[in-house]
């Protein structure tokens, strides 16, 4: 019988999406397939430790979304192309898989499941829907602001604006991150994909109740997770989403915040393992 270390051996590979875009990924472990969908300003490196923990129980595909890391990009962006990327990864692992996504990656995973891909189970962490008019979420016209900053090649300003206005991070924390050259340079390198995540979110951050469509088409058993240290807006969004999905439950994990995938994978993994194995 293979040892745990052998089961979790990582293989770097690529697949080709429907439009010819090359999608790079790490595949590790054995068992039912689980695909990890990254959030904004993140590539597969963010979920590296989480992937290793899950690989003790599953075949884990941790990929770079298009335009990030070692993946290429298409000539023109559309959310449908990212759904096709996930479809290509599902085909690669045998035709069906479970999905786990965080933040805007959670919304992309939801859209993929609602589009009819063969998703066995779906787990999402803090999809950033804004469902009440209390100021949670980015301001009106935020997408245009980001487009302007990127057009002027002001990548640092675009990253800062996203973190402060969309993620609600205090300015002083962003300032501290800018003093970490390796971290900040990586974030700047991903800034061009911010419009992709804004497109994924669509009209879901306008402070209105979450409609049933298109989300109710995601029929796979779904676990919606939030952290107890995150803003209340994430809790409200999770409850709304759970209410419109046909087969969903919501759990709040003590002591976690919005950065749990990268910062607290050991606390997140047991909940995912229990749900995905169950």
């Amino acid at each position: 019988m293979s040892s745990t270390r052998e089961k979790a051996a990582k293989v770097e590979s690529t697949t080709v999406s429907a439009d010819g875009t090359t999608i790079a990924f790490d595949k590790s472990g054995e068992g039912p397939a689980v695909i990890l969908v990254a959030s904004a300003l993140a590539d597969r490196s963010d979920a590296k430790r989480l992937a290793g923990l899950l690989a003790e129980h599953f075949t884990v595909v941790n990929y770079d979304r298009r335009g990030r890391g070692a993946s290429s990009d298409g000539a023109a962006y559309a959310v449908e192309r990212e759904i096709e990327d996930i479809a290509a990864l599902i085909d690669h692992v045998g035709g069906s898989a479970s999905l786990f996504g965080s933040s805007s990656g959670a919304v992309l995973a939801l859209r993929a499941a609602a589009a009819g891909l063969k998703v066995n189970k779906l787990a999402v962490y803090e999809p950033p829907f804004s469902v009440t008019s209390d100021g949670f979420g980015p301001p009106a016209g935020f997408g245009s602001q980001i487009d302007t900053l990127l057009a002027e090649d002001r990548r640092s300003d675009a990253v800062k604006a996203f973190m402060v206005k969309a993620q609600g991070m205090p300015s002083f924390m962003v300032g501290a991150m800018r003093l970490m050259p390796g971290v900040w340079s990586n974030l700047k390198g991903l800034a061009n994909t911010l419009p992709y995540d804004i497109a994924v979110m669509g009209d879901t951050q306008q402070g209105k109740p979450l409609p049933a469509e298109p989300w109710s088409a995601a029929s796979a058993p779904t676990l919606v997770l939030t952290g107890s240290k995150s803003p209340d807006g994430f809790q409200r969004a999770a409850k709304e989403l759970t209410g419109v999905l046909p087969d969903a439950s919501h759990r709040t994990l003590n002591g976690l915040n919005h950065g749990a995938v990268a910062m607290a994978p050991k606390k997140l993994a047991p909940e995912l393992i229990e749900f995905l194995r169950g």
Side-chain angles (χ1 to χ4, degrees):
M1 182 176 180
S2 299
S3 67
T4 298
R5 180 176 295 179
E6 289 171 337
K7 286 183 179 181
K10 182 175 69 175
V11 176
E12 296 183 25
S13 188
T14 60
T15 191
V16 179
S17 193
D19 70 342
T21 299
T22 299
I23 304 300
F25 62 92
D26 294 331
K27 184 167 72 172
S28 54
E30 293 179 1
V34 180
I35 297 172
L36 308 184
V37 187
S39 65
L41 292 176
D43 55 22
R44 58 181 152 153
S45 65
D46 276 48
K48 181 179 179 180
R49 290 190 295 158
L50 178 63
L53 295 168
L54 296 179
E56 296 181 12
H57 306 273
F58 310 101
T59 296
V60 180
V61 172
N62 182 23
Y63 77 104
D64 285 331
R65 287 171 56 187
R66 60 174 52 212
R68 312 177 191 212
S71 290
S72 63
D73 204 351
Y77 181 80
V79 176
E80 290 78 10
R81 302 294 82 77
E82 290 223 64
I83 293 173
E84 290 169 356
D85 299 344
I86 295 174
L89 292 166
I90 289 175
D91 286 344
H92 178 84
V93 296
S96 66
S98 295
L99 303 179
F100 168 68
S102 172
S103 195
S104 55
V107 180
L108 178 56
L110 281 160
R111 291 193 184 278
L117 303 193
K118 294 182 179 179
V119 176
N120 299 324
K121 289 189 175 183
L122 176 63
V124 294
Y125 186 78
E126 296 195 339
F129 298 127
S130 174
V131 297
T132 55
S133 58
D134 60 356
F136 179 76
F142 180 69
S144 296
Q145 295 175 33
I146 293 296
D147 289 341
T148 298
L149 291 171
L150 292 175
E152 296 173 353
D153 199 28
R154 296 166 59 189
R155 287 175 170 248
S156 283
D157 290 339
V159 172
K160 179 181 178 180
F162 184 82
M163 288 183 162
V164 174
K165 295 182 180 181
Q167 295 186 320
M169 187 178 294
S171 294
F172 75 88
M173 290 183 64
V174 178
M177 293 178 70
R178 296 183 76 156
L179 299 177
M180 298 182 281
V183 172
W184 196 253
S185 63
N186 186 55
L187 292 171
K188 285 175 59 180
L190 294 166
N192 64 295
T193 63
L194 285 173
Y196 299 2
D197 290 276
I198 292 170
V200 166
M201 295 308 302
D203 61 357
T204 65
Q205 294 185 304
Q206 297 180 355
K208 300 177 182 179
L210 196 67
E213 298 297 332
W215 316 108
S216 61
S219 58
T222 302
L223 176 63
V224 183
L225 295 170
T226 50
S228 67
K229 289 188 175 181
S230 294
D232 290 341
F234 290 116
Q235 310 294 339
R236 292 191 292 271
K239 291 174 182 176
E240 287 259 342
L241 178 61
T242 304
V244 301
L245 293 177
D247 184 5
S249 59
H250 170 220
R251 292 194 65 183
T252 298
L253 305 183
N254 189 43
L256 298 189
N257 60 23
H258 197 57
V261 169
M263 304 303 294
K266 288 185 178 180
K267 293 183 179 180
L268 185 58
E271 302 295 332
L272 294 175
I273 292 167
E274 180 182 357
F275 170 69
L276 295 171
R277 291 182 68 181

